[in-house]
Amino acid sequence: MAHQNLTQRLVPRRTKKGGLIPADRILVQQVPLSPLILSRNDRSNRVYLEVQDEADSRSAADILRSANLAVLRSFKSGAQSHPDRLIYGVAGLLFDAGTPLPFGGSKHKPGYASFEGSNCLQLLDFMITSAFRSYWSYRGRKAVDLVVMAINRVLDLVSYGEKDFLDECVMKGMKKSGHIEWFGAAFMPDWLAHISDVPDSRGVFFTPNRLRLISVNRQQQWIAE
């Protein structure tokens, strides 16, 4: 079981006279990890992390498989567009040198550079697996929290109709995953194009500049969080 692994914490020990034992004789205490799983809320169509029930005996492979399926169900239910569009959008948010490992961490050798897959299912699995492995390696839960935040952020962009900003995330995700050339002109394939969920009702519209302002503000909020 993935969550049965134990982390080690160095704890200084005191001698009978109250002094500290030298560092090479420090007692190692073992602290169990909280068993996290990624699930989908059917009503909100958003994903979230929950602590696995002690009676649940799912293996690490089962946890990763169910996480991938939960995200795909949310993407298929949350947009008329192809799910690959949303997967690339998540990669566009995560694959940046400014994000922590295992996705960013360095301008010269960011974590996302280790991705070598050729399709979006592999890309989604890479993001989820990297995050959980980071957590299981006792590096904190920042990576899994960041993945959940990015997935829900992309679903929000779809709900808010922020097509232009999502287009930018998709193109960035395609480039940084190595699926299109980094330099030169790039065009979004037809199958990744935005498909509106709401018919044109001739109601209130945002101008491109206004939509861009909203997108920038939301990007700043994403970075701040």
Side-chain angles (χ1 to χ4, degrees):
M1 286 290 298
H3 64 270
Q4 289 177 337
N5 293 325
L6 299 177
T7 186
Q8 295 182 338
R9 182 175 62 189
L10 297 181
V11 180
R13 298 173 61 191
R14 293 188 176 275
T15 64
K16 293 181 179 180
K17 296 182 179 180
L20 289 176
I21 293 178
D24 59 348
R25 300 178 188 174
I26 288 179
L27 173 67
V28 176
Q29 289 187 349
Q30 294 184 324
V31 182
L33 289 171
S34 298
L36 293 179
I37 57 176
L38 189 152
S39 302
R40 172 178 177 259
N41 184 309
D42 294 335
R43 295 186 63 183
S44 66
N45 196 42
R46 297 298 186 268
V47 297
Y48 64 98
L49 293 168
E50 62 178 338
V51 176
Q52 184 176 346
D53 189 279
E54 292 183 0
D56 193 334
S57 58
R58 274 184 281 184
S59 66
D62 289 336
I63 291 173
L64 296 175
R65 188 181 304 110
S66 66
N68 276 273
L69 291 175
V71 175
L72 287 174
R73 283 197 297 269
S74 286
F75 284 173
K76 290 178 180 179
S77 300
Q80 296 294 324
S81 303
H82 198 287
D84 286 2
R85 172 178 171 84
L86 280 63
I87 293 173
Y88 279 128
V90 173
L93 291 173
L94 292 177
F95 288 7
D96 187 273
T99 60
L101 288 171
F103 307 112
S106 168
K107 290 185 178 180
H108 302 291
K109 194 176 180 181
Y112 64 79
S114 62
F115 174 67
E116 298 179 347
S118 59
N119 60 59
C120 279
L121 289 179
Q122 293 172 340
L123 179 58
L124 176 61
D125 184 66
F126 171 83
M127 292 186 286
I128 291 175
T129 300
S130 298
F132 271 95
R133 283 180 176 172
S134 176
Y135 175 68
W136 292 334
S137 298
Y138 322 114
R139 298 173 184 170
R141 54 177 288 170
K142 180 179 290 187
V144 286
D145 286 335
L146 195 62
V147 166
V148 168
M149 189 185 301
I151 292 167
N152 289 333
R153 180 76 67 180
V154 166
L155 289 168
D156 286 343
L157 291 174
V158 173
S159 299
Y160 298 149
E162 296 193 26
K163 168 190 172 297
D164 292 348
F165 181 50
L166 184 53
D167 281 346
E168 293 178 14
C169 293
V170 171
M171 296 302 294
K172 182 180 177 182
M174 294 176 70
K175 286 185 175 183
K176 296 205 169 185
S177 63
H179 289 178
I180 60 174
E181 294 295 329
W182 183 258
F183 299 103
F187 301 93
M188 185 174 298
D190 291 340
W191 58 278
L192 289 178
H194 168 75
I195 299 177
S196 177
D197 293 334
V198 181
D200 184 356
S201 60
R202 297 300 172 185
V204 178
F205 293 91
F206 287 114
T207 65
N209 288 338
R210 172 61 176 162
L211 183 58
R212 174 60 180 165
L213 177 61
I214 293 176
S215 299
V216 169
N217 287 340
R218 291 197 179 280
Q219 186 179 32
Q220 291 173 342
Q221 180 184 2
W222 155 259
I223 294 173
E225 293 176 352

